[in-house]
Amino acid sequence: GKIEVLLTTMSNKTKPSLLQIWISAARPHTLTASIAPTIVGASIISLFPATQSDTRNSFFLPALSFTAFACLVQLGTNLHNDYADFIKGADTDKRVGHARATQRGWLTPAQTVSGATVCLLFAAVIGFSLSFLSGNLDWTMAFISISSIFNAFAYTGGYPLNYIKMENISIGYCGLGDIFVFVYFGIVATMGVPYLYTRFYGSNESAFDLFLQKDDLIVASFFSSIPIGFLATAIIVVNNLRDRITDVDAGKRTLCVRFGESFGRAEYAFLLCGSYLTLLPLISFGGAWMLLPVASFPLAAREVQAIVIRKKDGAALNSHVGSTARLQLVFCLLLAMGMKISSQAT
């Protein structure tokens, strides 16, 4: 895509424009990982019509706010990772991935970490405002806000966690990045909008309590989050597979480093295949239209062929980070479309 061309071109430039630098640091080719799940989450609501016909229309702003929250968390994580990977020595002249603004000297570490902090401060404001959506403090949304912002800093670690003597914590460096992405860019990002809808509609129950009570909306959103989480995790797997050699030198113990190249490629194949198989439980909520994302399978097959069968490696994997993100976007749009069609048919 045009973004990947821009990033590749930047890798060969001495000094891009300031706008191009910030675009590169934000990693826009992967930002769909935070936006696409919220689109599905909003679409799930259409499967379960409210008794008040105007409720869904008036819920548009909270849904949009949660989308902005998720996007800002990812932006903050990306910018902080750009800063911290440079500080920790993971981003060096040997890097084979897209250009990193801090490593190239295009931005100072202070500039990059400041950008991350600003994004996460805005995310905090939105998150805590959503915590009072029903008028009373919603501890579930408050926990999501606090943990998301903490994890954005802790994904790579370092500043500002040194102020609470937790600077050595690093989710990505200890090999938990895959789980973090699955939980926060799969389960949380997908279930966030449906859960907030229950609060907006008058429920005072936590998401966990609603799940235990087998609330149809919450259960459907949970099962929808699994394939989306698989695809979001696949994006980070390509990234870790590409960077595994330099990650060893930096002491970054991703799963690809811990268990090797073959494991990483097998994990990628499992995640992509699993994303389609886990659509089956959704049939009970929306019928056969829930299988509409299967139309994206040729895209998935192309990625598996390149990464698992042909075993592309190093810089050749750069384009597959973006194409895996696009696969997730297409998958999510088709799933959301299937939900809308199903709701109109019933």
Side-chain angles (χ1 to χ4, degrees):
K2 292 182 179 179
I3 291 174
E4 287 173 359
V5 172
L6 169 63
L7 294 176
T8 302
T9 303
M10 288 179 65
S11 299
N12 300 322
K13 282 186 176 181
T14 303
K15 181 71 174 180
S17 70
L18 187 59
L19 177 60
Q20 288 179 322
I21 290 170
W22 281 107
I23 289 174
S24 171
R27 306 176 201 176
H29 56 300
T30 64
L31 288 180
T32 53
S34 57
I35 299 171
T38 64
I39 294 173
V40 173
S43 300
I44 295 171
I45 297 171
S46 65
L47 294 174
F48 307 97
T51 54
Q52 296 178 9
S53 60
D54 63 337
T55 304
R56 275 177 286 173
N57 293 330
S58 56
F59 183 67
F60 175 78
L61 184 57
L64 186 63
S65 296
F66 184 83
T67 302
F69 166 80
C71 190
L72 284 166
V73 168
Q74 187 182 4
L75 275 170
T77 305
N78 289 349
L79 290 170
H80 188 267
N81 176 253
D82 193 300
Y83 151 81
D85 265 353
F86 171 73
I87 296 296
K88 289 173 176 281
D91 284 348
T92 67
D93 292 338
K94 297 179 181 179
R95 176 176 174 79
V96 295
H98 293 304
R100 290 287 179 261
T102 315
Q103 182 269 323
R104 287 298 183 93
W106 296 335
L107 294 174
T108 66
Q111 287 176 310
T112 316
V113 78
S114 295
T117 303
V118 169
C119 288
L120 294 171
L121 282 174
F122 277 112
V125 171
I126 295 172
F128 283 109
S129 67
L130 290 172
S131 299
F132 290 92
L133 185 62
S134 63
N136 300 316
L137 176 61
D138 174 10
W139 287 104
T140 300
M141 189 60 211
F143 174 78
I144 289 172
S145 301
I146 295 170
S147 62
S148 295
I149 292 163
F150 175 82
N151 289 335
F153 287 121
Y155 184 81
T156 318
Y159 175 90
L161 299 182
N162 56 298
Y163 288 111
I164 53 176
K165 301 188 183 301
M166 299 179 73
E167 66 272 16
N168 293 325
I169 291 179
S170 176
I171 296 169
Y173 277 66
C174 70
L176 295 176
D178 302 53
I179 296 174
F180 162 75
V181 170
F182 177 79
V183 172
Y184 279 87
F185 290 94
I187 296 175
V188 174
T190 307
M191 295 186 68
V193 172
Y195 170 67
L196 288 172
Y197 181 71
T198 67
R199 300 288 297 186
F200 187 78
Y201 197 53
S203 171
N204 289 316
E205 302 286 346
S206 69
F208 184 71
D209 288 336
L210 288 169
F211 185 81
L212 291 180
Q213 294 168 16
K214 299 181 179 179
D215 179 89
D216 285 342
L217 176 59
I218 296 302
V219 173
S221 64
F222 172 74
F223 281 111
S224 298
S225 73
I226 295 174
I228 296 172
F230 279 171
L231 290 172
T233 307
I235 299 171
I236 199 69
V237 171
V238 181
N239 185 84
N240 291 341
L241 189 62
R242 179 198 64 199
D243 295 341
R244 68 188 186 281
I245 304 301
T246 51
D247 284 345
V248 170
D249 296 334
K252 192 173 183 179
R253 303 283 290 171
T254 65
L255 294 186
C256 288
V257 170
R258 287 179 180 273
F259 301 113
E261 174 190 349
S262 296
F263 174 87
R265 297 187 192 280
E267 181 189 7
Y268 185 81
F270 168 80
L271 291 168
L272 261 61
C273 293
S275 65
Y276 292 95
L277 291 174
T278 51
L279 286 170
L280 294 175
L282 295 177
I283 295 175
S284 62
F285 298 101
W289 284 110
M290 298 299 94
L291 300 179
L292 191 58
V294 174
S296 67
F297 187 76
L299 298 177
R302 188 169 62 188
E303 296 304 309
V304 170
Q305 182 184 35
I307 296 170
V308 181
I309 299 174
R310 292 169 54 196
K311 297 184 178 181
K312 281 190 174 184
D313 209 358
L317 288 172
N318 281 339
S319 64
H320 293 282
V321 177
S323 56
T324 301
R326 286 195 297 274
L327 168 63
Q328 187 206 28
L329 176 61
V330 172
F331 184 100
C332 288
L333 291 176
L334 288 170
L335 182 55
M337 189 183 304
M339 290 173 176
K340 289 292 187 180
I341 295 173
S342 177
S343 67
Q344 296 295 324
T346 55

